[in-house]
Amino acid sequence: MAGVNGGRKGKKDDNGIGSAIDFVLSNAKLVLGVGGAAMLGIATLAVKRMYDRAISAPSSPTKMDQSGKRSWEEPSWLGSSPRTLNRDMKSNISRSLQTLPTSSHTFEPDALRRAVRRPGSAGVDLQRAKLRLSLQEHLWAFYRERVLIPAQEQAQARRAALDICAELRVFLHAKLPDMPLREMFLSGSLYDDLQVVTADHAQLMVPLILEKNLWSSVPGEDTIMNIPGFWLVRRENMEYFPRGSSYWDRCLVGGYLSPKSVLEVFDKLVTGSINWPAIGSVLDYVIRPVVPSETLTLEVQYETDRRLYVDFLPLLVMEDGVSLIAKPHRLAAERHQNLWRQSFRVAETARLRALDQEDGGCRCVCLKVAKAVCKLNAPLTRLNAGQLTNALLLLSESEGDWTQEALAHRFLQLLRALVGHLEAGRLPCALSPKVNLFCELTAQEVDELGYTLYCALSDPESLLRTALCHDSQSSISQSR
């Protein structure tokens, strides 16, 4: 330690921090092993250099080095995420150690020197350019090999969904001819060409007909619950049109049309009255209701190794054009069982496609890559398509270059934007900023998502590697 202290002559007193760092490094190998100690050494040396620059700052802040920049200034590439890094630090550090690289090439002397090289030189700029090019190539390879769904698979899934829709339409019209419904239709990412990895999900929209003078919609923010993005559908004119005047009065709860009660009506019909085994044998499918499910969902096995999940979603289209679906609030389904969820999906998808058509951009490609990464990385499965779409639309408002060559840069920006939204605990809807698309995430989920994405910023290709590994393991398990 005397040698270490002697080598620090001429610098300001650091209160023993240098000694502490050296002590940690000298004992890291015993605790973390060779690989962990090497990675800790890289990180610690970088911190040490930053600290040395800070304590050796010139007395005059105007004193510059030859490059015109303060030599003690913090590097511009360093970011901070105090909320994400401070919460549950012990478990976070343990998870970080589990993701340390294990290849011996990572810890070779040349690699170590590159890792701690001072930013700002032409060599580092060239290295960064090469890394960006490498990420660009990996993203496009991942998009072609894992994200895109073969046209034949999409066609088979659409045909299976169409068969189920036709059977339900015939049954409901025959069983309940007086039920006021508009024509059912299929929807979802399978029909917008935005589904990724596998064609496994579709939505069957069931539009209900409400009498104009008997029902009115109330925004969630105008109620005591104060939840933008959710609506109440109130029964009106009860004194002139008593209960029973509308077919849907049977689904009233406390004077409001309950989406839960509406789903229960359809659930009794779809799961209790339809002979799905018989229909499946005719169609050569295996059809069964999914239990439990937050919505009414059918599982359709149309090939030996392929399944399609069809969500049965009652839909209300109000006079002002607001679309409401019977999908309950995730965190308060019982307390908010009368709330209908406002759907922005059609308008969001249309805006995204319109922007890409205007400039030949890569927004849809970037969205599909992000969706696949979240689908195949277990810690990110809580990020849904709507949240990713809106984060990308918000990013489009501040960034103009969406050419195909900018995919890697925009993907990284999307990750940074998501980290920022998670730290703020709020992701505004691009079409209605008062709606917080993170309102159904718990605090723990927000922290886990933020931590995972924050770590991925330093090695974004790790998300692709994890996704590829998950995809390979799924293929192996399905083949057994």
Side-chain angles (χ1 to χ4, degrees), residues 34-35 38 100-112:
V34 176
L100 288 175
T102 57
S103 172
S104 60
H105 299 291
T106 308
F107 307 110
E108 290 176 357
D110 289 341
L112 295 180

Side-chain angles (χ1 to χ4, degrees), residues 394-414:
L394 293 173
L395 185 60
S396 295
E397 296 176 0
S398 58
E399 295 296 338
D401 181 14
W402 287 90
T403 58
Q404 304 295 317
E405 294 75 15
L407 175 61
H409 191 43
R410 293 295 169 259
F411 180 74
L412 285 173
Q413 281 190 311
L414 178 61

